[in-house]
Amino acid sequence: MTYVRGFSGAADQTGEAAVDAAIAHAESAGYGEGVTKFRLRDWGISRQRYWGCPIPVLHCDSCGTVPEAKANLPVLLPQDVTFDVPGNPLDRHPTWRQATCPKCGGAARRETDTMDTFVDSSWYYARFTSPGRRRRPTGRMRNTG
């Protein structure tokens, strides 16, 4: 992509050139510094509070973090939460957090963070592209042509 009348007077410049020019300007003026920071580690699952898809993970004192049993999927959010106190309403729900560990049968706690709503949209789109699959939600179809 080329930007016309780019940063600092250039007739046209690419996005990378514009970023470089902006960094050079900020550094020469003494109010900024070019640095690179990576913060995408948690991008896929953001810390939503109730409004996204439940993460099907349980925390067991004996077994550690374990996936929810397939028989219990999908995990549904409770309908009787309250939003009168700041924070995650799932942490305060009287029963939803309580679960049974599928490995040992002991007491476990549900993950109370939920996935960002883009995750269910993405899965819907991916599944929509593979409507004939029965064993897996998505994947390559064999080319028969």
Side-chain angles (χ1 to χ4, degrees), residues 7-48:
F7 188 83
S8 71
D12 62 83
Q13 62 190 173
T14 63
E16 186 176 345
V19 169
D20 292 342
I23 290 170
H25 176 72
E27 288 178 343
S28 67
Y31 65 83
E33 175 184 358
V35 296
T36 301
K37 293 186 178 185
F38 297 96
R39 296 185 185 197
L40 293 179
R41 286 188 301 261
D42 296 330
W43 179 77
I45 306 294
S46 62
R47 294 176 53 95
Q48 295 291 311

Side-chain angles (χ1 to χ4, degrees), residues 74-124:
V75 175
L76 300 176
L77 292 171
Q79 298 293 312
D80 58 343
V81 296
T82 60
F83 299 96
D84 55 344
V85 177
N88 187 342
L90 296 174
D91 284 332
R92 297 186 306 276
H93 194 274
T95 59
W96 188 82
R97 262 190 94 175
Q98 301 166 10
T100 301
C101 177
K103 272 186 155 181
C104 70
R109 296 171 311 284
R110 285 192 197 287
E111 175 59 56
T112 59
D113 284 340
T114 60
M115 293 182 253
D116 198 333
T117 54
F118 81 86
V119 174
D120 44 329
S121 300
S122 300
W123 276 107
Y124 175 80

